[in-house]
Amino acid sequence: MGRVYNFSAGPAVLPEEVLRSAAEEMLDYKGTGMSVMEMSHRSKAFEEIMEHAESTLRDLLKIPEDYKVLFLQGGAHQQFAMVPMNLMKNRVADYIITGQWAKKAYKEAQIYGKANAIASSEDKTFTYIPDCSDLPISEDADYVHICHNNTIYGTVYKEIPNTKGKILVADMSSSILSEPVDVTKYGLIYFGAQKNVGPAGVVGVIIRKDLITEDVLEGTPTMLRYKTHADANSLYNTPPAYGIYICGKVFQWIKDQGGLEAMKERNEKKASILYDYLDESKLFKGTVQKEYRSLMNVPFVTGDDALDAKFIKEATERGFVNLKGHRTVGGMRASIYNAMPMEGVQKLVEFMKEFEQNNIK
């Protein structure tokens, strides 16, 4: 059937240009006579791939010199443990609960110390972001943790919390590179690559250098110390080499598109096509309070499980795939990351209008 419109939340759609470029280099990367999959991570060719990936990411996000960029493994889930292991010096940390991943990070932190849930939107099924202007920040908290964009429930922080001087740590797995970010407002940002950056298997960490110390919780494995990887420039052990290579290509693609300002503008246009239709539709409705809507993940329902299932089936037959909502919420979800073309969203809305006409009672 050719290329489909892939609305998966992750692993997610990648830019076609990136896939074509990687395909051309699959058997022979730049005259080396081998694939990036086969080359030594200590080779000159791979060293250049790493340098390009890091410098392009730094350029896009305007990452200051006093921050280290790491390309690690274990996904965002591993960061749920790595963050407290490395940063929880007083064994106290504050967590804001805005969905499943924030909750998992919070639960993981409880293994290592006192994790406080200082705000939550669970009372309304995570359909909003709580007011974070005057939070009960713990006096001895080592950091405040947020999940910036909620992939499952489709919410995003429009303003970052007032942490009252405490370090802010953010999981940005599903929103990184969708818009400009002031990195200096965070002590640490981490992101799984498989949503907006590259293939599964890479996790990016942007960490302020003063937070990289030998002073970690007792029993922290060598591989779970930021210092181990920072000292070795992400080459302490064999990194997810091919994944990093693809991430570098995606960073370059974003740069070629005009950078993060251009991405934000494009993402806002794409999201408004879908949200505007959901607001006027008599069949479909968005599930998130308007002021907290994500540009990346758009959950919606018909209100009838059987009709939802029919829509997903017919959409899939028409080449709109992976629209089923997360198993915890049901309904539908369209993930419209950077690499989803405008045309994909326009065509999805055309199909939704057609489905509405055929199924409205």
Side-chain angles (χ1 to χ4, degrees), residues 143-146 160-161 163 166-170 185-188:
Y143 60 86
V144 178
H145 180 284
I146 63 169
I160 62 169
T163 63
K166 299 291 182 187
I167 294 160
L168 181 59
V169 174
K185 289 196 159 69
Y186 301 84
L188 190 155

Side-chain angles (χ1 to χ4, degrees), residues 152-197:
I152 295 176
Y153 301 94
T155 58
V156 69
Y157 284 82
K158 301 294 182 185
E159 282 174 35
I160 62 169
N162 172 10
T163 63
K164 300 178 181 174
K166 299 291 182 187
I167 294 160
L168 181 59
V169 174
D171 174 354
M172 287 198 180
S173 295
S174 52
S175 56
I176 194 78
L177 302 180
S178 62
E179 58 184 357
V181 171
D182 183 353
V183 172
T184 64
K185 289 196 159 69
Y186 301 84
L188 190 155
I189 292 168
Y190 63 90
F191 55 92
Q194 70 275 14
K195 297 171 186 295
N196 220 12
V197 173

Side-chain angles (χ1 to χ4, degrees), residues 126-142:
F126 302 120
T127 53
Y128 71 103
I129 299 284
D131 179 4
C132 296
S133 58
D134 186 19
L135 294 162
I137 305 282
S138 311
E139 221 166 280
D140 51 353
D142 291 298

Side-chain angles (χ1 to χ4, degrees), residues 222-234:
T222 304
M223 278 296 287
L224 296 186
R225 297 167 184 242
Y226 290 122
K227 194 166 189 328
T228 300
H229 301 286
D231 288 351
N233 289 322
S234 304

Side-chain angles (χ1 to χ4, degrees), residues 60 177 196 249-260 263 338:
L60 286 169
L177 302 180
N196 220 12
K249 283 189 176 296
V250 173
F251 300 154
Q252 187 61 51
W253 175 80
I254 293 171
K255 197 172 169 180
D256 294 344
Q257 301 290 307
L260 299 188
M263 276 295 145
N338 285 347

Side-chain angles (χ1 to χ4, degrees), residues 69 88 90 112 176 344 360:
V69 172
M88 222 190 218
N90 300 320
Y112 304 101
I176 194 78
I360 201 91

Side-chain angles (χ1 to χ4, degrees), residues 54-330:
E54 179 176 339
S55 65
T56 316
L57 180 62
R58 281 188 175 277
D59 197 21
L60 286 169
L61 281 167
K62 300 180 172 58
I63 300 171
E65 274 307 302
D66 60 334
Y67 283 74
K68 192 86 180 160
V69 172
L70 306 173
F71 295 108
L72 308 178
Q73 297 173 75
H77 270 81
Q78 190 158 286
Q79 293 305 308
F80 297 166
M82 213 163 161
V83 166
M85 281 176 166
N86 286 266
L87 302 188
M88 222 190 218
K89 319 288 188 197
N90 300 320
R91 303 239 179 191
V92 181
D94 289 349
Y95 281 71
I96 300 169
I97 315 298
T98 52
Q100 197 127 316
W101 310 122
K103 204 171 173 179
K104 283 192 174 185
Y106 162 64
K107 281 191 171 157
E108 191 72 13
Q110 289 171 339
I111 298 169
Y112 304 101
K114 187 167 182 261
N116 305 303
I118 55 167
S120 171
S121 54
E122 195 163 9
D123 61 331
K124 291 183 181 163
T125 331
F126 302 120
T127 53
Y128 71 103
I129 299 284
D131 179 4
C132 296
S133 58
D134 186 19
L135 294 162
I137 305 282
S138 311
E139 221 166 280
D140 51 353
D142 291 298
Y143 60 86
V144 178
H145 180 284
I146 63 169
C147 180
H148 182 256
N149 181 88
N150 191 285
T151 326
I152 295 176
Y153 301 94
T155 58
V156 69
Y157 284 82
K158 301 294 182 185
E159 282 174 35
I160 62 169
N162 172 10
T163 63
K164 300 178 181 174
K166 299 291 182 187
I167 294 160
L168 181 59
V169 174
D171 174 354
M172 287 198 180
S173 295
S174 52
S175 56
I176 194 78
L177 302 180
S178 62
E179 58 184 357
V181 171
D182 183 353
V183 172
T184 64
K185 289 196 159 69
Y186 301 84
L188 190 155
I189 292 168
Y190 63 90
F191 55 92
Q194 70 275 14
K195 297 171 186 295
N196 220 12
V197 173
V202 183
V203 62
V205 173
I206 301 164
I207 178 170
R208 216 171 61 214
K209 286 178 180 174
D210 63 307
L211 301 177
I212 304 167
T213 66
E214 297 276 13
D215 178 22
V216 296
L217 296 193
E218 198 181 330
T220 299
T222 304
M223 278 296 287
L224 296 186
R225 297 167 184 242
Y226 290 122
K227 194 166 189 328
T228 300
H229 301 286
D231 288 351
N233 289 322
S234 304
L235 291 168
Y236 176 76
N237 68 324
T238 309
Y242 196 79
I244 293 167
Y245 155 74
I246 299 288
C247 290
K249 283 189 176 296
V250 173
F251 300 154
Q252 187 61 51
W253 175 80
I254 293 171
K255 197 172 169 180
D256 294 344
Q257 301 290 307
L260 299 188
E261 291 289 353
M263 276 295 145
K264 183 184 187 202
E265 197 180 317
R266 201 166 96 170
N267 288 328
E268 283 173 345
K269 273 186 194 158
K270 269 194 304 196
S272 69
I273 291 168
L274 189 45
Y275 284 126
D276 288 353
Y277 167 64
L278 288 171
D279 288 343
E280 67 177 42
S281 171
K282 290 181 174 60
L283 181 64
F284 298 102
K285 72 171 200 313
T287 55
V288 173
Q289 292 181 25
K290 274 188 185 180
E291 60 270 41
Y292 307 109
R293 283 172 166 175
S294 165
L295 293 180
M296 298 284 98
N297 311 99
V298 184
F300 57 97
V301 293
T302 63
D304 176 335
D305 289 349
L307 205 51
D308 285 355
K310 185 184 181 194
F311 172 78
I312 291 160
K313 181 177 180 290
E314 289 184 18
T316 304
E317 285 164 3
R318 295 280 282 271
F320 305 105
V321 304
N322 295 316
L323 280 164
K324 193 175 168 66
H326 192 270
R327 61 185 181 277
T328 57
V329 287

Side-chain angles (χ1 to χ4, degrees), residues 11-29:
V13 59
L14 284 164
E16 203 166 308
E17 296 94 314
V18 166
L19 297 175
R20 288 187 189 284
S21 169
E24 281 166 21
E25 293 172 344
M26 178 55 86
L27 295 176
D28 179 6
Y29 176 75

